[in-house]
Amino acid sequence: MFEPMWLSPKVIRPIVGTRRFYIEGLDFQDPVAARIYRELLDFFGASQAADRQCADLVFIMNSAALPAERDGAYRIHTEGDCVCIEGNTATALLYGLYGWVRRKACGQQIDDFESVPNQALRMIDHWDQTDGSVERGYAGESIFFGVLGSNSHADFRNFPDRRQDDPFRGDLARVTAYARLLASIGINAIALNNVNVRGEAKKLIVEPYLDRVAVLADIFGQFGIRVFLSVNFASPIDVGGLSTADPLADEVSAWWEKIVDNVYQRIPAFGGFLVKADAEGEPGPMRYGRTHVDGANMLARPLSRHGGLVIWRAFVYDCNQDWRDRSLDRAKSAYENFIGLDGLFAENVVLQVKFGPIDFQVSEPANPLIGRMTHTNLMIEFQITAEYLGQQIDVNYVLPQWLAMTNWDTCAPQVDARVKAVVPKLCLVSAHTGFAGVSNVGMDDNWTGNTLAQANLYGFGRMCWDPDATAGSILDEWMTLTFPGLRGPAREAVSEIMLTSNKTFKNYTAPLGVGFMVKPGLHYGVDVNGYEYDRWGTYHFADRDGIGVDRTQSTGTGFTAQYHQALEERFEHAETTPDDLLLFFHHLPYDHVLHDGQTLIQHIYSSHFEGVKEVERYITLWKKVKGLIPQADWENVADRLQAQKADAVEWRDQINTYFHRMSGVPDRLGRKIYA
Amino acid sequence: MFEPMWLSPKVIRPIVGTRRFYIEGLDFQDPVAARIYRELLDFFGASQAADRQCADLVFIMNSAALPAERDGAYRIHTEGDCVCIEGNTATALLYGLYGWVRRKACGQQIDDFESVPNQALRMIDHWDQTDGSVERGYAGESIFFGVLGSNSHADFRNFPDRRQDDPFRGDLARVTAYARLLASIGINAIALNNVNVRGEAKKLIVEPYLDRVAVLADIFGQFGIRVFLSVNFASPIDVGGLSTADPLADEVSAWWEKIVDNVYQRIPAFGGFLVKADAEGEPGPMRYGRTHVDGANMLARPLSRHGGLVIWRAFVYDCNQDWRDRSLDRAKSAYENFIGLDGLFAENVVLQVKFGPIDFQVSEPANPLIGRMTHTNLMIEFQITAEYLGQQIDVNYVLPQWLAMTNWDTCAPQVDARVKAVVPKLCLVSAHTGFAGVSNVGMDDNWTGNTLAQANLYGFGRMCWDPDATAGSILDEWMTLTFPGLRGPAREAVSEIMLTSNKTFKNYTAPLGVGFMVKPGLHYGVDVNGYEYDRWGTYHFADRDGIGVDRTQSTGTGFTAQYHQALEERFEHAETTPDDLLLFFHHLPYDHVLHDGQTLIQHIYSSHFEGVKEVERYITLWKKVKGLIPQADWENVADRLQAQKADAVEWRDQINTYFHRMSGVPDRLGRKIYA
């Protein structure tokens, strides 16, 4: 059975279950309204008041209650013992319910409190595949899809007519719990299937699979979450039997129109399509000599009639790069491919941009498109699943990194030019912008493989809603809600582990923003040269004299020119580049002196020794937690900390030996570096 | 349909088909005798003479014809137009038939010719698996095993009762052709299945699979080839349901005795068992605190009653080595594990030793056990399938390397201390020694993936029989037999390509005996550090100053001490170590001067530039061959030469760039090395 995560009955039922509620102004034909009712009665065990006067928990649907600019905003005030939650939509009231419970549980002020989501689209992207596997998943199989009998947790009773080859798992109790968890942190959109749309997944947009999708969409819809599907751009050929997928061919757009109309007939609240086109071998409009605009707008047209969106990924680059050609620079790809298309995309097209210019590394600058692409709706893509960040074996609470990204100053000519501000501001339609996170959940009992990785899912939702929150405040909430028994030194221990974990991971992996150095394909574990002579465009260029990628205009690839001037000037020079990003922008000699006064080579050695020490410290700290959280969770993390230590030791030794062999420079402190 | 390889009807039928044969002294109850008869009538189309007088091809079984010391020897003499082939066994006469045809086709002297095989056991080891895959196979699926429908070439009609889950392919026409091809080059033993015995393969020793094995054994038996099976040492548990596989437990030896007796009841000419024990994770006697001797002799006991052998692999090493510990040396493993057991193995145990101390690299010294292990039967293991030698994509005629190995002087105190001489001499029973080669054939029409790789299979058999032959003479035979139309400059072109190909491959891959630098797992293509920080014990230790493994006694791992004194002294010093093996034995600075006057680093650069140039030359040379061999064969090689060129270019550039980055030394000739 799956864990409750941050909706622990121990914590939340005492808050709500004692209340008598009253709901005002809601139309119970609205599935979200019906859901609030059921949540209060069934999930929280509250009782219904006969009238408003004898209620002490009142929900008021009031379309004028809050500014309409941000769907989902709610206000809470108290009248004596009575708590009033106001919102201008049913979903806002649902958020208000969970927001009140959370604030109450966490001892936060609840009287006269107004909460407005920062980002309009707060989306989870699943890279789940119809065979049950999850691309870059580290927590068991997909909770949506799976081959019959492939997962011992599976509950197949929900689709009585499930056939042997039905790819849907049908574990609707789990899906409902998941939808509730997501709604409780403000998520309002979800893509069910992987952006690499292969095999049976191509047919999710048509019957009979569409009927199955509709069942899931109904559940998510009750929680105010719109369901999206990833589609293959070649579907007109592969699914429709046409001879082309050319977006300018009449039969192609007619085919998509029919598909879209049918989807909306079945799922009126359908969100739209997520598309990876012309990237890493996936088909797209460029196969027909057309542009991304041609492709996206063709799909946008029929969707716009139903209020649907096209989410078009900007993760387009040459994945057959020649390592010999140092003038090439993958970091420049998104900007080069899309900046010229700014202003040409339809109003219901959203360009989904990875937060950094490469690929979810532990240290990357922001993608230069953000703050530059000012007439296009952007969605920033984060990766909750820890593909490059320890794969939910190594503990890595990633909020400090994400919040640094959302607070990154793009230096666009705006009063507030930080990422979180320019995304909803510099666009066509603010409601069509936001943040997306690639899911880290699977069929594991604890949902996320490593129990501590639940905090990243929780934190992602909270960050979308309120990026002014701190990593510490979000962590505090998560700990209080998830582990009510966690107090005193044990709680401080978890806090200490979590808040330093992202930096620790950075310390023992690839140094100073140079990235990669991971095992090819797997992306876990050290392999200094794993990608150095490969086609993926991710190199460190270490030689006996120095290391790093020169992306300056004066001597390098010129990537720095893609930023607004103030950033461009900062990154053009090693002196003004933050140490964390130093090797992302510069190729430097091993004796280059960092801002902290260490040489580059000494920093490499020291950070790697320190990284391992930190993990060893975590193992000691974790012992304090024993007995204060469920034993299974404690062991889950204790086991992974041992694996993390082995991983960190291997990183330390291989990196240090590699660079000692290269540089010939001994460690200033005489620590053990293997020859 | 499969190619005839070196038994081309065009070449051999004109020689035999015109003859009238007479067979004297053979018992046609002997399946080999019956086979000779069928070969002459059906395969060659000859006719039977009514009596000896009107015959012009006479086979004389004469047990006193030749010295009994080498089974299979034959003598040919002519009486006018009549050719007489004499031998002391039916198999010898079969060898004589094919030997005569070959010599005749190749224009070699045939009158009064005596041929004695050099090695007693001339064995092919298949690493075929019951699912149809071939470990390290590069020529399609297994010709013996396969899942129904998995290979379009499969002919399933031969076992009328074949079930869906029957792992036997049942393509008996192909097996018969294969047995004929092997017999024609003198092979007399074959192991049907992989030494890693997993899954269904464990059950080959019992019914119903044993019945299927018997069908194959009957076919091979007709050609004088004894069939062996690889067995899993844990079979008493996995197959027999016992609780232990302890070789000293009575129930274990009783179980094996029953198994062996049953196998021989079904297959009287069964060869014996091939065993990989306590190696790379496979089970073995050491799991029970027993020795290799305990394990091998326990199996040998029941086999000895039927004339069967235990072939016990000496490929035992720690595959969980720590790269940090430079005192460890995988090269020392075979010697360290087995030298103390010399003289303890039973007379029908054969220790199978890989020719080099590591693993079939393009440049390795001989295994020091050879010439040192003097009271044990040895079989030297070669790898015909080109796992590390280009995987039948890159052309690599390996006979020059193999013949150098068989002619390697072990410096044992013997008149002739070369490998080929000490193997049959320093042992318990000369008839239980020999050479084994890991098969390179599969279901591909041309059997070996690259048509030119047929020459390695041909050459292996010929080398076992006559290691005094040269790589050139063996190649000449193979070309004449396989491509009768190949003459003049085209023939010279093939000759030139083949005879230089092994050196060319050596040139563009890991330098000077250091080995590996291949893609992990795959073993094809360059990855300089692919194994450098891994657990397999195969390192190059390159740093900014030098490269190589110090295996000397004075400063290194002491491996050199495992050789006889003269070799030990030679390898202990860089000055007396052949350049080819320099980095196998020594860690040397990049400016070390080789025997040819170049520095080490300059040699690395130059050999890699030259390697690619050679492959480019092969492409040009191969054009001369067009039209003179079947078009499919020509294209097969032409395509692979292009792939080989891409491979060689990648090796050249990655190796040169890597060592340029490391050493900082420019190429003396200013050729292009990428930064």
Side-chain angles (χ1 to χ4, degrees), chain A residues 323-324 326 529 532-533 541-545 649-650 653-654 657-658 661-664 674-675, chain B residues 323-324 326 529 532-533 541-545 649-650 653-654 657-658 661-664 674-675:
Chain A
W323 61 267
R324 298 164 187 80
R326 285 178 70 159
N529 281 353
E532 188 60 11
Y533 298 94
F541 299 126
D543 61 22
R544 73 197 321 258
D545 300 315
V649 164
E650 205 57 39
D653 290 343
Q654 289 196 29
T657 295
Y658 187 89
R661 285 184 183 179
M662 271 285 185
S663 70
Y674 297 87
Chain B
W323 61 267
R324 298 164 187 80
R326 285 178 70 161
N529 281 353
E532 189 60 10
Y533 298 94
F541 299 125
D543 61 21
R544 74 199 318 262
D545 301 315
V649 165
E650 206 57 38
D653 290 344
Q654 290 196 30
T657 294
Y658 187 89
R661 286 184 183 179
M662 270 286 183
S663 70
Y674 297 88

Side-chain angles (χ1 to χ4, degrees), chain A residues 269-490:
Chain A
F270 186 70
F273 294 147
L274 174 57
V275 192
K276 175 178 180 177
D278 291 313
E280 297 183 327
E282 295 302 305
M286 295 171 99
R287 288 207 183 162
Y288 304 95
R290 312 305 182 188
T291 67
H292 290 286
V293 170
D294 294 331
N297 289 357
M298 179 274 291
L299 290 174
R301 225 169 294 128
L303 284 164
S304 72
R305 290 200 293 273
H306 304 278
L309 303 177
V310 173
I311 302 177
W312 194 267
R313 289 178 98 227
F315 186 58
V316 175
Y317 68 99
D318 175 10
C319 63
N320 283 300
Q321 198 172 310
D322 191 338
W323 61 267
R324 298 164 187 80
D325 185 350
R326 285 178 70 159
S327 73
L328 300 174
D329 186 358
R330 170 171 161 183
K332 292 163 79 175
S333 304
Y335 187 93
E336 285 179 344
N337 279 301
F338 287 95
I339 195 69
L341 308 178
D342 194 18
L344 303 178
F345 286 104
E347 288 199 346
N348 64 327
V349 171
V350 186
L351 192 65
Q352 185 167 294
V353 181
K354 290 198 181 191
F355 72 69
I358 303 281
D359 197 8
F360 300 134
Q361 299 301 293
V362 72
S363 202
E364 274 193 69
N367 195 309
L369 276 177
I370 310 167
R372 280 285 210 185
M373 192 112 183
T374 55
H375 296 81
T376 304
N377 306 315
L378 293 193
M379 176 132 77
I380 312 303
E381 187 176 347
F382 297 84
Q383 196 180 38
I384 312 172
T385 191
E387 177 179 356
Y388 295 100
L389 301 186
Q391 302 196 350
Q392 283 134 246
I393 297 167
D394 301 24
V395 57
N396 195 333
Y397 177 59
V398 74
L399 266 294
Q401 182 186 349
W402 285 347
L403 289 167
M405 300 305 301
T406 59
N407 285 297
W408 170 282
D409 189 346
T410 64
C411 297
Q414 297 291 318
V415 177
D416 184 350
R418 290 176 299 173
V419 166
K420 64 188 177 191
V422 300
V423 166
K425 200 153 196 176
L426 304 179
C427 60
L428 293 175
V429 180
S430 174
H432 298 168
T433 65
F435 295 165
V438 180
S439 164
N440 66 343
V441 314
M443 289 292 286
D444 278 5
D445 284 348
N446 69 356
W447 299 84
T448 56
N450 189 325
T451 299
L452 295 178
Q454 294 175 3
N456 289 328
L457 178 60
Y458 181 86
F460 174 75
R462 297 289 294 123
M463 171 181 85
C464 294
W465 192 284
D466 179 15
D468 292 333
T470 66
S473 68
I474 291 172
L475 178 66
D476 270 336
E477 287 178 8
W478 176 77
M479 286 194 294
T480 299
L481 296 167
T482 308
F483 297 124
L486 197 58
R487 293 208 178 77

Side-chain angles (χ1 to χ4, degrees), chain B residues 506-522:
Chain B
K506 187 152 59 178
N507 271 342
Y508 63 73
T509 56
L512 299 172
V514 78
F516 280 80
M517 298 193 174
V518 287
K519 289 209 164 80
L522 184 62

